Amino acid sequence: KAGVTQTPRYLIKTRGQQVTLSCSPISGHRSVSWYQQTPGQGLQFLFEYFSETQRNKGNFPGRFSGRQFSNSRSEMNVSTLELGDSALYLCASSEPKGQVAETQYFGPGTRLLVL
Amino acid sequence: AQTVTQSQPEMSVQEAETVTLSCTYDTSESDYYLFWYKQPPSRQMILVIRQEAYKQQNATENRFSVNFQKAAKSFSLKISDSQLGDAAMYFCAYKRDSNYQLIWGAGTKLIIKP
């Protein structure tokens, strides 16, 4: 099976702009989670989607949003970019057993630089 | 709130030797999962090993094994016969049984000396 794919891999934006990142999960996986990784804050959970519904959200401002499509692909959007949004954004997919996702498998990440 | 602590920012080991990375966590839950992920310079996060809290037997995956001490809330990773390709950041992560998010430690940088 192909792994989790993320596009684009690298992105440079300026403050105030918005950005959309895309994630395609492993075939058959219906849960997609997003994480932000920075040197200062480490890895932090953004949100998780399952069957086009956001089930859980981390402690991030409303500028961070996401969605999931019927084919399980997911996008996250960051509006009004700030310098502090510069980070590696990781997407992970999993196939829940019952109601809860178990092991998460990660994509290569999108590295966002805000100037 | 749950927390995960990795007290070793950096560890080094001679190639072919054994190294143990430490992880402690804090939770009041009884059902949860613990993971070790590896992040090489490529930044791809790779699953190394996983442990279900309800299982007393320690997980093993080839050269990788864990020492899971539930009462002590400790979850260490042992890497045997270290190889140059094992050089990476290693992250310990916790997930509640009823939740979807991983809570991460700060990571341990593992250096392999040839």
Side-chain angles (χ1 to χ4, degrees):
Chain A
K1 274 186 185 178
V4 178
T5 58
Q6 291 187 246
T7 57
R9 295 293 310 278
Y10 304 93
L11 209 47
I12 300 175
K13 292 285 188 179
T14 55
R15 277 181 299 174
Q17 287 187 310
Q18 74 165 17
V19 66
T20 299
L21 313 182
S22 180
C23 172
S24 292
I26 292 170
S27 177
H29 284 191
R30 292 174 291 164
S31 171
V32 174
S33 299
W34 289 87
Y35 295 85
Q36 181 196 64
Q37 185 177 23
T38 61
Q41 300 297 317
L43 283 146
Q44 295 182 285
F45 172 76
L46 280 156
F47 27 64
E48 188 260 356
Y49 286 87
F50 176 78
S51 291
E52 302 178 63
T53 300
Q54 185 184 92
R55 297 194 295 186
N56 202 19
K57 190 177 193 306
N59 191 23
F60 278 81
R63 300 185 297 106
F64 291 81
S65 63
R67 58 178 176 168
Q68 186 180 35
F69 302 94
S70 57
N71 61 357
S72 295
R73 189 177 71 85
S74 177
E75 288 181 348
M76 67 164 281
N77 184 274
V78 188
S79 62
T80 319
L81 284 165
E82 300 177 0
L83 295 179
D85 297 333
S86 295
L88 179 69
Y89 290 89
L90 293 167
C91 165
S93 79
S94 62
E95 179 51 29
K97 293 181 182 178
Q99 292 297 312
V100 181
E102 294 185 354
T103 303
Q104 297 178 21
Y105 299 92
F106 285 80
T110 293
R111 192 171 299 192
L112 172 64
L113 176 61
V114 182
L115 301 176
Chain B
Q2 294 85 17
T3 58
V4 177
T5 302
Q6 293 179 251
S7 58
Q8 306 153 317
E10 186 175 297
M11 292 279 285
S12 63
V13 63
Q14 208 71 35
E15 194 177 1
E17 306 260 302
T18 296
V19 64
T20 298
L21 309 184
S22 301
C23 172
T24 58
Y25 58 95
D26 187 25
T27 184
S28 58
E29 304 286 328
S30 58
D31 294 326
Y32 50 87
Y33 298 85
L34 295 164
F35 304 86
W36 279 98
Y37 283 89
K38 162 186 174 181
Q39 189 178 43
S42 67
R43 310 302 297 276
Q44 172 89 48
M45 195 70 79
I46 301 165
L47 176 69
V48 174
I49 201 164
R50 118 183 183 161
Q51 175 80 42
E52 293 92 335
Y54 64 85
K55 289 187 178 178
Q56 292 189 344
Q57 187 172 7
N58 289 325
T60 62
E61 287 287 336
N62 301 313
R63 298 182 295 107
F64 299 87
S65 61
V66 298
N67 183 3
F68 173 49
Q69 302 287 329
K70 192 172 184 179
K73 296 178 183 174
S74 170
F75 182 61
S76 61
L77 174 70
K78 186 171 85 170
I79 306 173
S80 304
D81 185 27
S82 297
Q83 300 175 1
L84 294 177
D86 295 333
M89 283 292 291
Y90 284 80
F91 291 94
C92 177
Y94 164 98
K95 191 187 81 66
R96 285 166 57 188
D97 187 36
S98 58
N99 199 303
Y100 317 102
Q101 70 179 87
L102 290 170
I103 297 170
W104 300 84
T108 296
K109 182 178 182 180
L110 179 63
I111 298 167
I112 310 294
K113 298 177 183 176

